[in-house]
Amino acid sequence: DAGVIQSPRHEVTEMGQEVTLRCKPISGHDYLFWYRQTMMRGLELLIYFNNNVPIDDSGMPEDRFSAKMPNASFSTLKIQPSEPRDSAVYFCASSPQGIGNQPQHFGDGTRLSIL
Amino acid sequence: GEDVEQSLFLSVREGDSSVINCTYTDSSSTYLYWYKQEPGAGLQLLTYIFSNMDMKQDQRLTVLLNKKDKHLSLRIADTQTGDSAIYFCAQKGGSGGSYIPTFGRGTSLIVHP
């Protein structure tokens, strides 16, 4: 089975540009998560969706960040305008529904560099 | 709040055992996980333990859970250079039955030949 697929794997762009990160979760998973990983802050949860509906976006750093999930197989994280401090690795993860042992499955991440 | 704490670095010699420690604050956690992150990759689930267990063994991996002290450890026997990675501890199912895991900062394991 295919895992969580993220694109692009690497993105280098100049500050002020719009950046769009993409994620395809594992089919059948009801939860989708966006994380950001930096040396300074570790792994931060930005936002998560349940059945395509945003549930908690309290981790989104500021209004420049937005996330959408138009259907069960696709999500985007957009930064507009981008700033150098947004440079990080962004991970998407998905998990099935339920309170049982349903661990998250992570994509390989998008390494974002804002110059 | 729900916090998970880990030391940031651990250095061991190849062939020795590694012990990575984690403490958490939410005593009502139901599942505790260990994830491994290799360079350039995402986090992969390594193993987990349910809160009614105090030990779980899986080949070279041993997980110990001390619920009283809210302490979780991961022991890797006969550590190999391929075990060099960042190891994340995570808890789930705490207060309110949260489905959302809380991750530690990760421990970088460095294995010397």
Side-chain angles (χ1 to χ4, degrees):
Chain A
D1 286 341
V4 175
I5 299 172
Q6 291 186 247
S7 65
R9 288 299 314 277
H10 302 274
E11 174 93 12
V12 181
T13 192
E14 292 185 345
M15 67 177 291
Q17 298 297 307
E18 178 180 288
V19 172
T20 301
L21 311 181
R22 297 173 175 80
C23 175
K24 178 177 166 52
I26 293 172
S27 177
H29 281 192
D30 297 303
Y31 283 89
L32 184 139
F33 307 82
W34 282 101
Y35 289 89
R36 176 170 70 175
Q37 185 179 34
T38 61
M39 289 290 291
M40 290 297 293
R41 293 173 174 264
L43 196 66
E44 301 174 273
L45 176 63
L46 301 177
I47 185 171
Y48 76 92
F49 296 82
N50 181 21
N51 292 322
N52 313 338
V53 176
I55 302 301
D56 185 353
D57 65 354
S58 60
M60 296 284 261
E62 41 195 284
D63 292 345
R64 298 183 297 106
F65 286 69
S66 61
K68 293 183 180 178
M69 192 164 186
N71 57 62
S73 59
F74 183 66
S75 177
T76 59
L77 178 68
K78 191 171 290 190
I79 309 172
Q80 165 64 13
S82 58
E83 296 182 5
R85 61 194 166 117
D86 302 330
S87 298
V89 182
Y90 290 81
F91 288 104
C92 176
S94 68
S95 69
Q97 185 77 284
I99 61 172
N101 179 25
Q102 306 287 10
Q104 293 178 326
H105 299 257
F106 283 77
D108 284 335
T110 295
R111 184 172 294 276
L112 178 64
S113 297
I114 308 297
L115 306 176
Chain B
E2 299 171 5
D3 286 330
V4 177
E5 294 194 359
Q6 308 176 234
S7 54
L8 294 183
F9 297 98
L10 176 65
S11 178
V12 299
R13 195 176 298 277
E14 190 175 19
D16 288 350
S17 292
S18 308
V19 179
I20 303 171
N21 295 300
C22 167
T23 57
Y24 58 96
T25 55
D26 193 331
S27 57
S28 59
S29 297
T30 52
Y31 290 97
L32 295 124
Y33 302 92
W34 285 104
Y35 284 81
K36 178 182 180 182
Q37 183 184 26
E38 296 184 350
L43 281 68
Q44 287 191 305
L45 180 68
L46 201 56
T47 187
Y48 70 93
I49 189 165
F50 188 49
S51 58
N52 68 352
M53 301 167 65
D54 51 23
M55 185 178 93
K56 180 178 180 181
Q57 189 147 3
D58 182 1
Q59 300 183 331
R60 292 190 298 121
L61 305 178
T62 303
V63 179
L64 295 177
L65 175 60
N66 181 329
K67 284 192 71 176
K68 174 175 170 290
D69 294 338
K70 288 179 274 189
H71 181 267
L72 182 74
S73 68
L74 173 70
R75 179 177 179 270
I76 305 173
D78 186 25
T79 312
Q80 303 297 306
T81 54
D83 295 323
S84 293
I86 303 175
Y87 291 81
F88 289 87
C89 170
Q91 67 169 21
K92 193 174 89 163
S95 302
S98 171
Y99 304 168
I100 309 308
T102 304
F103 287 85
R105 292 284 303 269
T107 299
S108 290
L109 175 64
I110 302 163
V111 182
H112 299 284

